[in-house]
């Protein structure tokens, strides 16, 4: 078998890229999606420590289809961002841009009728007008959120509950940073066991 033929065979059997797989997903414009991603950096690994079961996810966004594109709303810390606003509104191509990305899963919320769909969209669009900062200490606030807290509260406005608060003891450096012995929070994977959403895609690097 010639070298050129071997190269041709391996080229045809090349594993599809994540971008290619996403482009071939059929996103419904009558649905609301939860999007998890995982990264291998310091912040990503720290976030994974507070998950219930999922050992890959470290961040969560919520989105819907607009002008034939999945648009994702998420609260995130980006040191390169010039202003203090921590709400990002991105298409999925930008959402998966972190160089250390190693996980992505997409979930579709169940039992979302037309009224709930429009209500959620309106709540998310209105959040663009808020001065949303990142909640570093996990306290109740109308202006500061961490990623999953933002989603839970925006859905609750529309009488949708996807998860309950979770509690975990904190020690060492985490205790010093948070100034508390017990952390009450919404985990990135907290909705997975509530059967409120259906997983339609998963990628693990």
């Amino acid at each position: 078998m010639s070298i050129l033929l071997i190269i041709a065979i391996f080229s045809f059997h090349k594993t599809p890229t994540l971008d290619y797989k996403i482009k071939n997903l059929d996103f419904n414009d009558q649905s609301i999606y939860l999007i998890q991603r995982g990264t291998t950096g310091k912040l990503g690994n720290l976030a994974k420590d507070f998950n219930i079961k999922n050992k890959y996810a470290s961040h969560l966004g919520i989105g819907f289809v607009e002008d034939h594109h999945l648009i994702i709303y998420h609260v995130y810390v980006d040191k390169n961002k010039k202003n203090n606003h921590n709400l990002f509104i991105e298409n999925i191509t930008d959402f998966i841009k972190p160089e250390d990305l190693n996980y992505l899963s997409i979930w579709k919320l169940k039992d979302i009728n037309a009224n709930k769909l429009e209500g959620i969209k309106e709540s998310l669009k209105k959040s663009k007008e808020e001065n949303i900062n990142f909640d570093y200490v996990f306290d109740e606030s109308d202006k500061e959120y961490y990623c999953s807290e933002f989603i839970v509260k925006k859905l609750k406005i529309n009488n949708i509950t996807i998860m309950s608060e979770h509690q975990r003891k904190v020690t060492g450096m985490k205790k010093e940073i948070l100034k508390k012995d017990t952390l009450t929070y919404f985990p990135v994977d907290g909705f997975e066991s509530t059967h409120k959403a259906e997983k339609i895609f998963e990628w693990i690097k």
Side-chain angles (χ1 to χ4, degrees):
M1 188 179 290
S2 70
I3 293 176
L4 288 176
L5 184 56
I6 293 172
I7 292 172
I9 290 172
F10 277 99
S11 296
F12 280 116
H13 286 84
K14 185 179 179 181
T15 302
T17 65
L18 178 57
D19 285 307
Y20 177 82
K21 291 179 179 180
I22 290 172
K23 286 177 182 177
N24 283 275
L25 291 175
D26 184 19
F27 293 116
N28 187 331
D29 61 5
Q30 297 300 307
S31 298
I32 297 294
Y33 296 92
L34 300 177
I35 306 94
Q36 293 174 327
R37 78 181 180 200
T39 52
T40 58
K42 187 181 294 185
L43 286 175
N45 287 329
L46 178 62
K48 292 172 192 176
D49 288 342
F50 292 96
N51 287 353
I52 299 173
K53 289 184 178 180
N54 190 317
K55 62 182 180 180
Y56 297 106
S58 59
H59 186 56
L60 185 65
I62 184 170
F64 55 86
V65 173
E66 190 171 55
D67 296 328
H68 309 292
H69 296 284
L70 179 61
I71 304 301
I72 301 169
Y73 290 69
H74 62 116
V75 175
Y76 183 64
V77 176
D78 185 348
K79 294 179 180 178
N80 296 318
K81 197 171 183 183
K82 293 180 180 179
N83 58 43
N84 293 324
H85 298 188
N86 294 117
L87 175 66
F88 287 75
I89 303 167
E90 301 177 317
N91 60 40
I92 193 163
T93 302
D94 291 328
F95 186 79
I96 64 170
K97 274 188 176 176
E99 294 182 357
D100 58 345
L101 184 81
N102 71 337
Y103 180 76
L104 181 74
S105 68
I106 302 173
W107 303 68
K108 183 167 69 174
L109 285 183
K110 297 179 180 179
D111 304 320
I112 303 297
N113 59 33
N115 287 336
K116 287 183 178 179
L117 176 72
E118 292 308 314
I120 296 168
K121 286 183 178 181
E122 188 64 24
S123 297
L124 292 174
K125 289 177 180 179
K126 282 184 177 179
S127 65
K128 293 187 286 187
E129 302 168 8
E130 301 176 42
N131 180 17
I132 294 177
N133 295 312
F134 192 82
D135 182 3
Y136 290 96
V137 293
F138 296 83
D139 280 337
E140 290 288 334
S141 171
D142 291 331
K143 295 295 183 182
E144 295 183 338
Y145 302 99
Y146 51 92
C147 64
S148 48
E149 179 189 22
F150 169 76
I151 293 166
V152 166
K153 290 188 174 181
K154 291 303 175 183
L155 289 176
K156 278 188 175 180
I157 292 173
N158 295 280
N159 299 312
I160 299 168
T161 302
I162 59 168
M163 70 174 95
S164 300
E165 287 183 315
H166 189 70
Q167 285 192 336
R168 177 170 296 187
K169 294 288 185 182
V170 288
T171 58
M173 185 63 69
K174 294 172 186 174
K175 178 180 176 180
E176 291 298 318
I177 294 172
L178 296 170
K179 307 297 182 185
K180 57 184 71 177
D181 298 314
T182 302
L183 183 63
T184 302
Y185 66 104
F186 297 105
V188 167
D189 65 339
F191 67 92
E192 291 187 24
S193 60
T194 65
H195 307 292
K196 300 290 186 178
E198 172 190 7
K199 182 162 61 177
I200 63 169
F201 177 79
E202 185 174 46
W203 170 86
I204 303 172
K205 188 173 181 180

